Amino acid sequence: MRKLQEELEKRLGCSIGNADDRQLYRVLLEITQEEAARREVPDTGRKLYYVSAEFLIGKLLGNNLINLGMYKDVKELLEQNGKSLAEIEELENEPSLGNGGLGRLAACFLDSIATLGLNGDGVGLNYHFGLFHQDLKNHIQNVSPDRWITGTSWEVDRRKGYDIQMAGKTYRSHLYDIYVTGYEGRTNRLHLFDLDTVDDSIVRDGIDFDKKAIDKNLTLFLYPDDSDDDGRKLRVYQEYFLSANAAHLLIDEAKAKGADLAQLDKYAVAQINDTHPTMLIPELIRQLTLEGLSFDTAADVVSKICAYTNHTILAEALEKWPLAYLKEIVPQLVPIIEILDDRARRRTDDLSTAIIDSGDTVHMAHIDLHYGFSVNGVARIHTRILKETELANFSRLYPDKFNNKTNGITFRRWLMECNPRLSALLDEKLGTAWHKDAQELEKLLAFSEDADVLERLLQIKKQNKEDLAAIILDKEGVQLQTDGIFDIQVKRLHEYKRQQMNALYIIHKYLEIKAGKKPARPLNFIFGAKAAPAYIIAQDIIHLLLLLQTIIDNDPDVNPYMRLVFVTNYNVTYAEKLIPAGEVSEQISLASKEASGTSNMKFMANGAITLGTGDGANVEIRQLVGDDNLYNFGIDADTVIAHYEKADYRARDYYEKDPVIREAVDFITGPQTMAIGDPQRLSRLKNDMINKDWFMALIDLKDYISVKDQCFADYEDRSAWAKKSLVNTAKSGAFSSDRTIRQYNEEIWKLG
Ligand code: 26Q
């Protein structure tokens, strides 16, 4: 501790007490970086490249201090000098280099890879602006650029790059690295590629910019708006830039290890995170042929290197590009993709598996499916649906390629860091082995009848709720009722996730309370979500939720019994505050649509009870905790799939036949919402729900209402609830990303 103090004060040039938080942040960053660098390990043998368009890493200071074993000392030293580590951590900008689940998963994986001591780096893009910043005015989502790179950044300038050809021009990439610290483990790296000519100043009001000026815009934004051709082409540029740089890096590092490139698979394996980096496959082949390999040798070895993860079964998310775009932007890949298509066609008569279809559209996933050596889904039910339905044609062709890797989360960030109170109790009762082996949490079951432990769990949750309530009051101006239930739905806004169904429940409760039926205790409904700017119905759902927030707030008959808050700019940092305070975890996607979900796992670990459909990892949570400890509702995935096949779902029937459903849906365009809301948005939303409702909210609404009511009623038996909470935490170890990564390594990567 004394050494730490001396070190800090030497760098500060003054005493800790006299330094301001910014100076402290800077020197803490410096010493963390140096400690991280000391734990790097020479690159020998086979190495994993986790290639992804998204890495939603969140703030790094606290996480790195924990992983490096410095957190406690730093926190205490600062406290002794009248400083707060939490306040210093606030100063860090969150790098929001991802949208949601897929990007956050990549970040959890990097943590686990380093913790398990594996040789594996991330490869991504250095977006200047992360996912947009959201604010909420006049019941509408407004977006603005989120600039995260400042003078004091975690990035290390590698002063190297590669020449990348796109549309006949040469672009010189520039590599930045971020250290990835393992918990009591080694340090790996996240490699982020950028272009020096990118110009932040071309961003006009909102997040608008000149989409044609590739030299200025290439790495400006994560997922630029792709509602027009220029936007879509920019995505192709980004994807190629990512893939080509990853290929160069991989080959470069293998050569540095003295590799015979014909046996490149001895030195490298690449995990392709969804289809966004798919061009890695033809690009590796291209670069290897330039290095002197024959096409056949190159294609063979690349097929032993590349593995593909599928994260969604939604058709619109499976990327397809017009061949004409590729001819314009990456003509060097087109002959390679044509040969790959030709060879794939010779393997089967099934035209549905073609890479280039008869309309000259290139199906990116098909490249991965034919030429990757492994294809995995991200939860058991998701993998089963891929095999039996969505990708049945490919699983017949390549039955051995398909495998499941149920997602996971890092318990370092999602329990140790974000929930210090619960972590301290767990350390006290179980010791600290769970930090690295989350299955140890199961030993908590021995305390399931221990009145003292159950009471402490309730106390901890209460304190976490109070902390969150204070933050929400400060940021959102809404006072939550901490003696009431905290029911939370936080995730990207998407119709399949069915925030609109939750809204219908809230309307139903509102009307019940108006009619005199009061809940046993206050209900707090908490939402956090960003909607893609071009996704109109999603904006309409946000609009409805914000109107409900105002209506409830202004209604003295109702607001003693219920509150709704839609938090602004939901991101990793906010999630770290919300999740420890969650009591009911809303996981209500239409069965078959949510590949896995990962917030379900985070809430579970923090002792919330899942209210969920039989979708994604909910199914596995249910199997682990049993029906006493999870609330399941809704039609199952097979029933949903059968409805789609028969095209026999008519939302209008449910609306017309059931007065409870009708009343809730009609409220959307009733006098209270219309008086303060946008009639066009509200009518569009209501019409969609009655005439389309593609994600079948109305089928499940009645069951959702009755199971949710039961869940809230059961909450009243506080010790029974505490026991449910305990069982959830105890069983959550199955969802550690350490377990997931061990499986990837044993079954796919096979690193030494
Ligand atoms: C595709 C085409 C054009 C433009 C954008 C996209 C696009 C962008 C992002 C498609 C998909 C994504 C992100 C998907 C994602 O986050 N999927 C989530 O992955 C999690 C981790 O596996 C799962 O837990 C979630 O269930 C899944 O929704």
Side-chain angles (χ1 to χ4, degrees), residues 91-97 127-133 144-151 198-203 207 220-221:
L91 295 176
E92 182 174 352
N93 290 334
E94 170 176 330
S96 289
L97 309 183
Y127 305 107
H128 293 214
F129 301 98
L131 184 62
F132 61 83
H133 183 275
S144 54
D146 169 49
R147 187 198 301 270
W148 68 280
I149 302 170
T150 57
V198 167
D199 179 0
D200 295 4
S201 72
I202 69 168
V203 179
I207 48 177
L220 266 185
F221 283 104

Side-chain angles (χ1 to χ4, degrees), residues 28 50 140 226 256 317 507 599 642:
L28 287 173
Y50 195 88
I140 300 282
D226 59 0
I507 293 171
S599 76

Side-chain angles (χ1 to χ4, degrees), residues 54 99-102 105 223 226 235 276 311 316-317 319 378 407 496-497 594-598:
E54 304 190 22
N99 275 286
L102 165 153
L105 185 77
Y223 294 117
D226 59 0
R235 271 190 66 83
H276 320 143
H311 294 266
E316 66 264 30
E319 291 185 299
V378 290
N407 283 166
Y496 83 79
K497 296 179 188 281
E594 187 71 271
S596 161
T598 41

